[in-house]
Amino acid sequence: MSNKPVIVFEGIEGSGKSHHINIVSKYLKKKKISFFKIREPGGSINSEKIRKLILSKKSNFNPNTDLFLYAASRSENIDLLRKFYKKKVILVDRFVDSTIAYQHYGLGVNIDLIKTINKNILSGFKINFTFLNIVNHKNMLKRLKSRKSLNRYDNFNKNFYNKVQNGFIKLSKINKTKYKIVNSNLDIKLNENLIIDKVKKLIK
Ligand code: TMP
């Protein structure tokens, strides 16, 4: 029987994570491998409602409130994630590392609070592998410019995104065997192949 891993795609805005998750989805579809794909914040009906609230440009919540809202959005997804856990390949567009990178490294929220909340929400749900997409500021801005609409989290300054990306990199170093850093400043096809090769090994 093949493996049914939980695979997470992380990275700052414009890092190409959503592109790569779509490439992996297409590959799994082609191979007729059942999978479940979800994004955070969002994904389930209730979580999408929370997404709208957090990311609306009209919102101006403080960093702790953002943490609680991102956590609320995850809490609304966890039953769905559990339903498919170890039954289907699960692809997640952002997860706990995003909360630590943005809310702690970016906005200074207490890391222990973030860990405690997530430990309670996740209890026993484990990630098998994370693709961390990294991008330089110039390319990030170029990709954001081509988007139809921008949200409240697309408008921070360069220093903020540097802190967030460095935070992601720090997290990836804690357990190197469970992360692959994808340099999105390099050739996109090269990265697609690299990711698919790793996915093949993960689901074998
Ligand atoms: P997206 O652009 O990938 O859809 O993500 C929406 C924004 O939400 C993005 O700027 C990252 C941010 N975010 C957090 O700040 N904390 C979190 O826990 C998650 C999941 C996302």
PDB file of all heavy atoms in Angstrom, residues 170-181:
ATOM      1  N   LYS A 170      14.523  29.426   9.721  1.00  0.00           N
ATOM      2  CA  LYS A 170      14.919  28.929  11.057  1.00  0.00           C
ATOM      3  C   LYS A 170      14.150  27.655  11.385  1.00  0.00           C
ATOM      4  O   LYS A 170      14.705  26.668  11.856  1.00  0.00           O
ATOM      5  CB  LYS A 170      14.579  29.987  12.115  1.00  0.00           C
ATOM      6  CG  LYS A 170      15.773  30.764  12.593  1.00  0.00           C
ATOM      7  CD  LYS A 170      15.363  31.655  13.750  1.00  0.00           C
ATOM      8  CE  LYS A 170      16.219  32.913  13.686  1.00  0.00           C
ATOM      9  NZ  LYS A 170      15.677  34.045  14.376  1.00  0.00           N
ATOM     10  N   LEU A 171      12.837  27.689  11.142  1.00  0.00           N
ATOM     11  CA  LEU A 171      11.987  26.523  11.449  1.00  0.00           C
ATOM     12  C   LEU A 171      12.433  25.304  10.635  1.00  0.00           C
ATOM     13  O   LEU A 171      12.437  24.184  11.121  1.00  0.00           O
ATOM     14  CB  LEU A 171      10.517  26.841  11.157  1.00  0.00           C
ATOM     15  CG  LEU A 171       9.875  27.873  12.083  1.00  0.00           C
ATOM     16  CD1 LEU A 171       8.487  28.264  11.584  1.00  0.00           C
ATOM     17  CD2 LEU A 171       9.783  27.330  13.505  1.00  0.00           C
ATOM     18  N   SER A 172      12.815  25.556   9.379  1.00  0.00           N
ATOM     19  CA  SER A 172      13.196  24.433   8.505  1.00  0.00           C
ATOM     20  C   SER A 172      14.494  23.781   8.975  1.00  0.00           C
ATOM     21  O   SER A 172      14.776  22.633   8.648  1.00  0.00           O
ATOM     22  CB  SER A 172      13.348  24.908   7.055  1.00  0.00           C
ATOM     23  OG  SER A 172      14.554  25.626   6.906  1.00  0.00           O
ATOM     24  N   LYS A 173      15.276  24.530   9.749  1.00  0.00           N
ATOM     25  CA  LYS A 173      16.566  23.988  10.208  1.00  0.00           C
ATOM     26  C   LYS A 173      16.422  23.118  11.451  1.00  0.00           C
ATOM     27  O   LYS A 173      17.341  22.395  11.819  1.00  0.00           O
ATOM     28  CB  LYS A 173      17.551  25.121  10.459  1.00  0.00           C
ATOM     29  CG  LYS A 173      18.029  25.714   9.140  1.00  0.00           C
ATOM     30  CD  LYS A 173      19.120  26.719   9.310  1.00  0.00           C
ATOM     31  CE  LYS A 173      19.584  27.180   7.931  1.00  0.00           C
ATOM     32  NZ  LYS A 173      20.142  28.512   7.951  1.00  0.00           N
ATOM     33  N   ILE A 174      15.265  23.189  12.097  1.00  0.00           N
ATOM     34  CA  ILE A 174      15.069  22.403  13.327  1.00  0.00           C
ATOM     35  C   ILE A 174      15.027  20.917  12.990  1.00  0.00           C
ATOM     36  O   ILE A 174      15.552  20.081  13.706  1.00  0.00           O
ATOM     37  CB  ILE A 174      13.782  22.857  14.076  1.00  0.00           C
ATOM     38  CG1 ILE A 174      13.953  24.299  14.540  1.00  0.00           C
ATOM     39  CG2 ILE A 174      13.473  21.926  15.258  1.00  0.00           C
ATOM     40  CD1 ILE A 174      12.694  24.940  15.093  1.00  0.00           C
ATOM     41  N   ASN A 175      14.371  20.593  11.871  1.00  0.00           N
ATOM     42  CA  ASN A 175      14.298  19.180  11.469  1.00  0.00           C
ATOM     43  C   ASN A 175      14.508  19.079   9.957  1.00  0.00           C
ATOM     44  O   ASN A 175      13.556  18.933   9.185  1.00  0.00           O
ATOM     45  CB  ASN A 175      12.938  18.604  11.883  1.00  0.00           C
ATOM     46  CG  ASN A 175      12.936  17.103  11.814  1.00  0.00           C
ATOM     47  OD1 ASN A 175      13.838  16.499  11.211  1.00  0.00           O
ATOM     48  ND2 ASN A 175      11.943  16.479  12.417  1.00  0.00           N
ATOM     49  N   LYS A 176      15.785  19.198   9.571  1.00  0.00           N
ATOM     50  CA  LYS A 176      16.134  19.347   8.151  1.00  0.00           C
ATOM     51  C   LYS A 176      15.599  18.236   7.255  1.00  0.00           C
ATOM     52  O   LYS A 176      15.302  18.460   6.085  1.00  0.00           O
ATOM     53  CB  LYS A 176      17.654  19.417   8.006  1.00  0.00           C
ATOM     54  CG  LYS A 176      18.224  20.751   8.367  1.00  0.00           C
ATOM     55  CD  LYS A 176      19.702  20.783   8.033  1.00  0.00           C
ATOM     56  CE  LYS A 176      20.312  22.068   8.576  1.00  0.00           C
ATOM     57  NZ  LYS A 176      21.750  21.949   8.808  1.00  0.00           N
ATOM     58  N   THR A 177      15.456  17.015   7.798  1.00  0.00           N
ATOM     59  CA  THR A 177      15.034  15.900   6.943  1.00  0.00           C
ATOM     60  C   THR A 177      13.562  16.035   6.531  1.00  0.00           C
ATOM     61  O   THR A 177      13.103  15.362   5.623  1.00  0.00           O
ATOM     62  CB  THR A 177      15.210  14.542   7.659  1.00  0.00           C
ATOM     63  OG1 THR A 177      14.436  14.588   8.858  1.00  0.00           O
ATOM     64  CG2 THR A 177      16.666  14.263   7.973  1.00  0.00           C
ATOM     65  N   LYS A 178      12.837  16.895   7.226  1.00  0.00           N
ATOM     66  CA  LYS A 178      11.402  17.038   6.926  1.00  0.00           C
ATOM     67  C   LYS A 178      11.087  18.279   6.087  1.00  0.00           C
ATOM     68  O   LYS A 178       9.924  18.639   5.913  1.00  0.00           O
ATOM     69  CB  LYS A 178      10.605  17.062   8.226  1.00  0.00           C
ATOM     70  CG  LYS A 178      10.602  15.708   8.916  1.00  0.00           C
ATOM     71  CD  LYS A 178       9.542  15.647   9.964  1.00  0.00           C
ATOM     72  CE  LYS A 178       9.285  14.212  10.352  1.00  0.00           C
ATOM     73  NZ  LYS A 178       8.113  14.065  11.168  1.00  0.00           N
ATOM     74  N   TYR A 179      12.144  18.940   5.607  1.00  0.00           N
ATOM     75  CA  TYR A 179      11.943  20.160   4.814  1.00  0.00           C
ATOM     76  C   TYR A 179      12.763  20.115   3.531  1.00  0.00           C
ATOM     77  O   TYR A 179      13.867  19.569   3.507  1.00  0.00           O
ATOM     78  CB  TYR A 179      12.413  21.390   5.595  1.00  0.00           C
ATOM     79  CG  TYR A 179      11.478  21.831   6.690  1.00  0.00           C
ATOM     80  CD1 TYR A 179      11.498  21.205   7.938  1.00  0.00           C
ATOM     81  CD2 TYR A 179      10.585  22.876   6.494  1.00  0.00           C
ATOM     82  CE1 TYR A 179      10.646  21.610   8.969  1.00  0.00           C
ATOM     83  CE2 TYR A 179       9.731  23.290   7.514  1.00  0.00           C
ATOM     84  CZ  TYR A 179       9.770  22.658   8.744  1.00  0.00           C
ATOM     85  OH  TYR A 179       8.927  23.061   9.751  1.00  0.00           O
ATOM     86  N   LYS A 180      12.226  20.734   2.508  1.00  0.00           N
ATOM     87  CA  LYS A 180      13.015  21.001   1.313  1.00  0.00           C
ATOM     88  C   LYS A 180      12.839  22.482   1.002  1.00  0.00           C
ATOM     89  O   LYS A 180      11.704  22.958   0.845  1.00  0.00           O
ATOM     90  CB  LYS A 180      12.498  20.139   0.145  1.00  0.00           C
ATOM     91  CG  LYS A 180      13.132  20.447  -1.184  1.00  0.00           C
ATOM     92  CD  LYS A 180      14.477  19.751  -1.325  1.00  0.00           C
ATOM     93  CE  LYS A 180      15.343  20.469  -2.332  1.00  0.00           C
ATOM     94  NZ  LYS A 180      16.760  20.181  -2.200  1.00  0.00           N
ATOM     95  N   ILE A 181      13.947  23.204   0.938  1.00  0.00           N
ATOM     96  CA  ILE A 181      13.848  24.611   0.561  1.00  0.00           C
ATOM     97  C   ILE A 181      13.849  24.707  -0.959  1.00  0.00           C
ATOM     98  O   ILE A 181      14.723  24.151  -1.629  1.00  0.00           O
ATOM     99  CB  ILE A 181      14.992  25.438   1.178  1.00  0.00           C
ATOM    100  CG1 ILE A 181      14.837  25.443   2.711  1.00  0.00           C
ATOM    101  CG2 ILE A 181      14.984  26.868   0.640  1.00  0.00           C
ATOM    102  CD1 ILE A 181      15.793  26.333   3.468  1.00  0.00           C
TER     103      ILE A 181
END
